[in-house]
Amino acid sequence: MSDIYHIFADHHADVDAHEFAVKMRKFLDKLVQLEKMKSYRLTRAKLGFRSMNLPEFHVMMEFDNMQQLDNAMTSVLRNEQKIDETHVAFNQLVDTETIQHFLYRDFPDDA
């Protein structure tokens, strides 16, 4: 069972989509490498196709449990192994007017 943190976001208009994805992956890869996150997926709306007015990029961050998610956030705040540098590198490219966050879990679960 997992907790999956979903982020939908666009990048700033003056930012290249490839640069946005590369910098986001660098941050997410670091979280996995430090075992602060189980896995992730970074996706982009294909041909802009979506039925709702959602941002173009979708990130799914998978955590074993809420404690692992909390530990990941704490690692970023404490800048463990300079992880906040990679977070800031992509975060400054995000169009904050479009970002949406959601937390889902496998259902039904044992809890």
Side-chain angles (χ1 to χ4, degrees), residues 95-109:
D95 179 355
T96 57
E97 296 295 318
T98 66
I99 195 164
Q100 301 288 322
H101 303 263
F102 304 92
L103 182 60
Y104 283 81
R105 65 184 171 107
D106 289 322
F107 185 84
D109 61 10

Side-chain angles (χ1 to χ4, degrees), residues 61-74:
M61 302 166 68
E62 187 172 0
F63 298 90
D64 290 324
N65 50 48
M66 288 298 294
Q67 186 61 58
Q68 189 181 35
L69 172 59
D70 186 56
N71 291 345
M73 299 301 175
T74 300

Side-chain angles (χ1 to χ4, degrees), residues 14-89:
D14 60 340
V15 173
D16 176 76
H18 182 70
E19 175 188 9
F20 178 76
V22 166
K23 288 187 176 182
M24 184 172 286
R25 283 190 186 279
K26 186 174 181 180
F27 169 66
L28 298 170
D29 285 340
K30 187 75 167 178
L31 284 175
V32 172
Q33 174 193 351
L34 295 173
E35 298 181 356
K36 302 297 181 183
M37 180 171 65
K38 189 173 178 179
S39 64
Y40 74 89
R41 291 191 64 186
L42 171 60
T43 61
R44 184 180 187 190
K46 187 168 186 170
L47 303 173
F49 181 75
R50 50 201 183 269
S51 61
M52 297 173 62
N53 190 23
L54 289 172
E56 185 175 12
F57 283 89
H58 180 200
V59 183
M60 293 157 274
M61 302 166 68
E62 187 172 0
F63 298 90
D64 290 324
N65 50 48
M66 288 298 294
Q67 186 61 58
Q68 189 181 35
L69 172 59
D70 186 56
N71 291 345
M73 299 301 175
T74 300
S75 293
V76 173
L77 290 173
R78 291 183 179 161
N79 197 23
E80 293 175 6
Q81 298 201 16
K82 299 187 179 184
I83 195 167
D84 192 47
E85 291 175 16
T86 59
H87 180 251
V88 169

